[in-house]
Amino acid sequence: MSKHQVNGDQDWFHCYYWGEDRDDGCANELSLSTDPAADQLDLLVSNPGFNNESHDDTFALQKGDVEKLSVFLQSWLKRHS
């Protein structure tokens, strides 16, 4: 697997970064998805375990949360450009 992968479409964003396995030897993956029927953004963090068992955590961000996250990320990008 490549060291860094980002892909997606209008409904999904998926990011895998080699090196996210430093803490426990298992790589994390981040996915964001939208549901056209819902006014929220679903965040999924996957961490495959040592025996290939999946440990998934999900979190729903409401529109206001995403707006605040966007401001935070834009500020971070400006400081690091």
Side-chain angles (χ1 to χ4, degrees), residues 5-78:
Q5 294 180 5
V6 176
N7 57 55
D9 56 29
Q10 68 185 22
D11 297 321
W12 277 95
F13 172 86
H14 178 77
C15 183
Y16 171 88
Y17 181 73
W18 190 262
E20 288 298 318
D21 56 352
R22 290 181 301 258
D23 59 345
D24 60 5
C26 299
N28 299 324
E29 298 180 34
L30 170 69
S31 298
L32 298 169
S33 69
T34 60
D35 178 351
D39 194 18
Q40 69 184 37
L41 184 67
D42 294 321
L43 182 139
L44 170 67
V45 176
S46 300
N47 185 297
F50 296 110
N51 296 322
N52 280 336
E53 72 274 13
S54 180
H55 302 282
D56 296 334
D57 293 310
T58 59
F59 190 82
L61 297 169
Q62 302 300 316
K63 185 176 179 183
D65 303 327
V66 173
E67 289 170 347
K68 290 176 183 176
L69 176 60
S70 176
V71 169
F72 174 82
L73 294 173
Q74 289 298 322
S75 175
W76 183 87
L77 285 170
K78 286 178 185 174

